[in-house]
Amino acid sequence: MILLRSLVFQALFYLSTLALMILALPVFVLPRKTGWPVVPFWARMNLFLLRVITGVKVEFRGLENIPEGGCIVAAKHQSAWETFALLPHFVSPTYVLKRELQYIPIFGWYTMKYRQIPVDRGKRSAALAAMTERAREAVAEGRQILIFPEGTRRGAGEEPRYKYGVAHLYRKIGCPVLPVALNSGLFWPRRGWCLYPGTVLVEFLPPIQPGLETEPFYEEMVGAIEAASDRLIGEAIEAGPASPVTDRVAERFAERGLPVPGSKD
């Protein structure tokens, strides 16, 4: 049943996304802010489908920590889930994303319409400079920069691999950074088709204010996100039934020399 429900959700996810993108094409003749409500509606629609079809719910914590105005949102990246589920909590945010995504028909048009920040990874220093300039403009407009500091999805419990791009933005732009911890990888693993029922826990942590040197900032951000994400993983495992994902996470924690989530020892 888990596999069947997962396949039904995946089919509806892509079909409904395509249908909504086509139906919402008139937003291209509207100002960006006027057409923006289509995007959080899409995110809420997906969360609804997840809940009723697969039994994947969500609990958001620490909403009071979200700063007003422009900031950088640095989120843990375990799953496709957070690529849309965080959207409703921000006002006209912009993602830092791979330039290749803008070449996808229709979807890529929306990323340009809503002024997302593409990164050409092949150009390195030039790409970093262009990303910084566009991020600075967005923060000045009061927008939030959503970035996944690890660059790609890492399975729940895996050894983290954070990059320094967010530290560069923090130093150059001088705005608060909001760390976000989560445990979505327990329920929507980065590999495979199965989605497991349960409650995704997301925690918006206290923002890191501007003014720190690069290395102290980096260590504080990574430490905060990792400690909170490990805690949320353990909390979910204690509360829910075991699954193949849970077993792999326990193995990963043991390999890293960390307390096994949910263990009473």
Side-chain angles (χ1 to χ4, degrees):
M1 287 302 295
I2 286 178
L3 177 59
L4 177 60
R5 291 177 179 180
S6 300
L7 292 175
V8 170
F9 168 78
Q10 298 281 7
L12 287 177
F13 173 79
Y14 289 107
L15 289 173
S16 62
T17 296
L18 178 60
L20 181 60
M21 287 193 299
I22 294 173
L23 290 172
L25 284 175
V27 304
F28 284 96
V29 300
L30 299 174
R32 174 174 55 84
K33 291 184 178 180
T34 304
W36 172 254
V38 170
V39 180
F41 171 79
W42 168 72
R44 292 189 180 96
M45 176 183 68
N46 291 329
L47 289 173
F48 172 78
L49 291 175
L50 271 174
R51 185 174 70 252
V52 299
I53 297 173
T54 69
V56 177
K57 306 172 186 176
V58 60
E59 178 184 333
F60 291 101
R61 300 173 179 176
L63 294 174
E64 69 279 2
N65 289 323
I66 299 177
E68 293 185 6
C71 69
I72 298 170
V73 181
K76 184 69 177 172
H77 196 15
Q78 296 179 351
S79 167
W81 183 90
E82 53 270 11
T83 60
F84 63 83
L86 302 179
L87 280 168
H89 296 288
F90 300 100
V91 180
S92 190
T94 178
Y95 279 93
V96 175
L97 46 77
K98 295 183 295 185
R99 178 173 293 279
E100 291 82 356
L101 294 176
Q102 293 196 324
Y103 302 147
I104 299 175
I106 307 182
F107 178 82
W109 306 346
Y110 280 94
T111 67
M112 290 183 278
K113 168 67 178 181
Y114 293 117
R115 292 169 52 194
Q116 306 301 288
I117 302 175
V119 177
D120 187 344
R121 296 181 177 180
K123 294 186 177 180
R124 299 192 178 183
S125 59
L128 189 61
M131 175 185 72
T132 302
E133 184 57 32
R134 293 195 60 174
R136 181 182 288 111
E137 293 173 358
V139 168
E141 295 173 359
R143 303 180 71 190
Q144 299 81 30
I145 311 297
L146 272 66
I147 186 170
F148 300 115
E150 291 174 282
T152 190
R153 290 171 292 172
R154 300 285 296 163
E158 286 188 4
E159 188 76 29
R161 294 179 183 173
Y162 287 78
K163 303 182 186 303
Y164 273 85
V166 66
H168 174 84
L169 291 178
Y170 170 82
R171 181 170 56 87
K172 290 292 186 179
I173 298 176
C175 69
V177 170
L178 177 69
V180 182
L182 45 78
N183 63 7
S184 57
L186 290 175
F187 310 99
W188 189 340
R190 70 189 183 105
R191 293 190 178 96
W193 286 93
C194 286
L195 282 75
Y196 298 92
T199 302
V200 176
L201 301 177
V202 181
E203 189 167 340
F204 297 98
L205 304 170
I208 303 173
Q209 299 301 326
L212 294 178
E213 294 295 326
T214 300
E215 199 61 35
F217 160 77
Y218 178 85
E219 292 178 358
E220 181 175 342
M221 178 195 70
V222 172
I225 294 174
E226 286 302 304
S229 293
D230 289 348
R231 171 171 48 80
L232 296 177
I233 288 172
E235 185 176 333
I237 290 177
E238 282 190 314
S243 73
V245 178
T246 299
D247 295 339
R248 289 197 297 272
V249 169
E251 293 174 1
R252 290 166 182 164
F253 272 71
E255 290 171 357
R256 294 168 57 192
L258 300 175
V260 176
S263 173
K264 301 298 183 180
D265 297 334

